[in-house]
Amino acid sequence: MMGYEFAQYVNEYLQANGFPTRSIAKISSNPDKSKHLETATTKLFDQEVDFANLRTEVYDENSRIPSMIAFGTPTDDAYRRDITINSLFYNVHSKRVEDFTEKVGLYDLQHGLVRTPLAPFETFRDDPLRVLRCVRFASRFNFELVPELVEAVQNKTIKEALESKISRERIGIEVEKMVTGPSPLHALQMLHQLNLYNIVFAQPTAITSGTVGEPILAVRAAGAVQWISQQNIERLHTKSAEERRLLYLGTALLPYLGVSVEVKKRTVPAVQMVVRDAVKFSNNDMNHAATVFRGVPMFEQAANNNSVSRSELATSLGMIIREMGSLWEVSLKLALAKELLEAHRDIPWETAEMNTELESDICKKYNALIEKTEHYGITQCYQWKHILDGKKIASVLGIRPGPGIADLLRHTMIWQLEHPNGTAEECEEMIKNYWQNHR
């Protein structure tokens, strides 16, 4: 019996006993899309449930797509799973957890271990994506990888299979779950320890400037971000799940900061190509990563520039925020993490263990920067409209709209930042004087 048919029987039972039912979605098998088995999905008492039959699989050497799928026993199904803690069954009749892997799954669950039901080399050779799934589950539950699994991942055959047999989209899905999971630091630690960083975040070709940093930089940066989140400085904490996601993605990609590549005779940040090609994230993610990286040196300079006046700082900060848009705090916090790493290279940031007092000055400096944006009222100045638009400026100056208007709009915004209570008439006078002196 297939999953969809069984789900229909479940719904019939619920209806006969007066329980509410939900519609059943049938997901047909599609091996070309790595969907190897018909599955039905519905909700039981507001809990999402999938229905699929027990099965056994046979793999060809050069593909992670099973060459044969057949009905199997609970033992067959348990041993085809990626890790033992995912191979446990719950018997609805006896209300007991059943472990068909000779009790290994229950043992691993109790002792915090990630292990494959079959020999890890065999498991990873059949489907190399399971390597990354092991990393993800270990980071999600703060479990350890067993030594024989680590040894198998280091095998050249497995690493070559991970590069050649697994689509970049599938790798990206696992990376997404790692950076949005409870411990991105643990995930990056394992990717580094298993020498997988350069496979997952593959380096683009045609580098024109800059040097790609060592993978340990990503781990240390994630450790610094985690440490910052544990400090009693509210402004430096991430404000949303998406901000946290982008910040940890930024730490994972930090080795590519300052590196450029040539694409179709254009020079672009290497981080864009890593996001686009290595992990196949969205165009939004690609552009967001480039924007965040572009702001890092800007915020470093702003945080360490103590010789400017209040007006100058408000203006420079405001213009940075307008260029970064809603991503400005992600960029600032990544700049803070980078400065912490550079100021204290001897600290084991990758373990997130260090002396709190040692770093208080650097954290206070960036906290003060955010505090000033609040005091100046510019935290959302990226949403401000120009007090004089392009047509109005052209009319005031008696000129035709053209490329030069962009510079005039920029100076209009600078004036707005310097004169938060200024009027349109005062701005017109400023733009006239500027035009007379600079045309």
Side-chain angles (χ1 to χ4, degrees):
M1 183 183 299
M2 304 296 283
Y4 183 72
E5 184 180 359
F6 183 76
Q8 289 178 310
Y9 281 119
V10 172
N11 263 5
E12 289 178 11
Y13 174 84
L14 292 173
Q15 289 172 347
N17 288 274
F19 293 106
T21 60
R22 300 288 289 271
S23 61
I24 303 170
K26 180 180 179 180
I27 306 171
S28 300
S29 62
N30 186 350
D32 291 338
K33 298 294 184 181
S34 296
K35 181 62 182 173
H36 313 307
L37 189 72
E38 175 189 294
T39 306
T41 181
T42 187
K43 280 192 174 183
L44 297 181
F45 307 105
D46 292 325
Q47 177 69 44
E48 291 188 359
V49 178
D50 291 344
F51 294 87
N53 59 277
L54 301 175
R55 64 194 189 272
T56 184
E57 299 170 344
V58 177
Y59 289 84
D60 286 333
E61 181 178 350
N62 297 318
S63 174
R64 65 175 292 264
I65 299 174
S67 59
M68 186 185 75
I69 299 176
F71 285 95
T73 66
T75 300
D76 291 332
D77 200 89
Y79 276 100
R80 72 166 187 83
R81 300 283 173 173
D82 47 10
I83 54 179
T84 56
I85 61 172
N86 284 344
S87 66
L88 299 174
F89 289 79
Y90 180 73
N91 190 317
V92 296
H93 299 291
S94 64
K95 295 182 172 58
R96 295 177 62 87
V97 174
E98 297 179 338
D99 185 353
F100 291 91
T101 62
E102 300 177 1
K103 305 301 179 185
V104 176
L106 286 170
Y107 177 90
D108 290 345
L109 188 63
Q110 292 167 347
H111 293 83
L113 299 174
V114 170
R115 184 198 318 268
T116 56
L118 298 174
F121 182 86
E122 178 184 343
T123 298
F124 298 149
R125 184 189 58 197
D126 286 344
D127 185 357
L129 185 65
R130 289 170 175 166
V131 171
L132 298 184
R133 287 176 56 82
C134 287
V135 170
R136 173 164 64 84
F137 278 105
S139 68
R140 177 180 175 182
F141 298 117
N142 196 28
F143 282 9
E144 293 184 13
L145 305 175
V146 296
E148 60 268 27
L149 186 154
V150 173
E151 182 180 356
V153 175
Q154 301 287 2
N155 188 288
K156 182 180 178 181
T157 299
I158 300 302
K159 290 186 175 180
E160 289 177 349
L162 181 57
E163 287 187 280
S164 62
K165 291 174 65 174
I166 307 302
S167 71
R168 283 288 153 183
E169 287 83 359
R170 296 296 302 173
I171 289 176
I173 289 171
E174 294 301 318
V175 171
E176 172 72 18
K177 292 176 180 178
M178 290 177 198
V179 298
T180 57
S183 184
L185 170 59
H186 193 193
L188 286 169
Q189 285 173 333
M190 287 182 284
L191 290 179
H192 173 62
Q193 292 163 359
L194 296 171
N195 296 313
L196 296 176
Y197 181 90
N198 289 328
I199 294 176
V200 173
F201 300 102
Q203 183 172 312
T205 57
I207 291 178
T208 57
S209 64
T211 303
V212 179
E214 293 296 321
I216 189 62
L217 175 60
V219 186
R220 288 171 59 79
V225 167
Q226 180 171 300
W227 179 83
I228 293 166
S229 72
Q230 297 165 350
Q231 305 311 301
N232 190 29
I233 308 178
E234 191 68 27
R235 288 187 182 89
L236 299 180
H237 297 173
T238 53
K239 296 179 178 178
S240 67
E242 179 61 10
E243 183 179 311
R244 178 183 182 273
R245 171 185 177 272
L246 289 173
L247 185 55
Y248 275 112
L249 179 60
T251 66
L253 299 168
L254 196 60
Y256 290 98
L257 181 67
V259 180
S260 299
V261 298
E262 184 177 324
V263 179
K264 296 181 179 179
K265 299 183 179 180
R266 293 188 305 113
T267 299
V268 300
V271 67
Q272 282 188 269
M273 297 300 100
V274 178
V275 172
R276 188 192 74 176
D277 298 335
V279 293
K280 293 291 185 180
F281 280 13
S282 68
N283 287 336
N284 275 343
D285 285 329
M286 180 180 72
N287 294 328
H288 287 170
T291 298
V292 168
F293 273 34
R294 190 168 68 251
V296 167
M298 298 181 189
F299 281 115
E300 283 185 289
Q301 182 177 1
N304 291 287
N305 194 345
N306 300 316
S307 61
V308 297
S309 66
R310 176 203 180 284
S311 175
E312 290 173 325
L313 182 58
T315 300
S316 61
L317 268 180
M319 294 304 285
I320 295 173
I321 290 171
R322 283 187 63 81
E323 185 172 343
M324 297 295 101
S326 61
L327 302 172
W328 73 269
E329 289 196 64
V330 180
S331 188
L332 180 146
K333 291 162 189 174
L334 188 59
L336 165 59
K338 178 175 176 287
E339 186 165 339
L340 285 171
L341 300 186
E342 292 175 346
H344 299 281
R345 299 178 185 274
D346 57 330
I347 297 296
W349 291 102
E350 58 272 25
T351 62
E353 296 173 358
M354 55 163 298
N355 187 318
T356 302
E357 295 181 0
L358 182 64
E359 303 309 324
S360 61
D361 288 344
I362 295 178
C363 287
K364 286 179 180 178
K365 183 169 57 179
Y366 281 85
N367 182 60
L369 209 57
I370 299 177
E371 189 175 17
K372 286 172 183 175
T373 67
E374 297 169 352
H375 180 69
Y376 300 155
I378 59 174
T379 57
Q380 293 185 317
C381 67
Y382 56 87
Q383 296 180 338
W384 290 5
K385 295 184 181 299
H386 291 85
I387 196 169
L388 302 177
D389 63 20
K391 288 184 178 180
K392 183 63 176 177
I393 290 174
S395 174
V396 167
L397 299 179
I399 61 176
R400 290 175 176 270
I405 294 294
D407 179 63
L408 296 171
L409 285 170
R410 179 176 178 275
H411 281 279
T412 297
M413 184 53 63
I414 290 174
W415 184 87
Q416 286 179 237
L417 290 164
E418 292 174 342
H419 304 83
N421 298 316
T423 64
E425 291 75 18
E426 291 170 335
C427 188
E428 287 180 18
E429 288 302 312
M430 178 280 299
I431 209 69
K432 288 177 183 177
N433 292 332
Y434 177 81
W435 179 251
Q436 290 175 354
N437 295 326
H438 293 85
R439 61 179 177 177

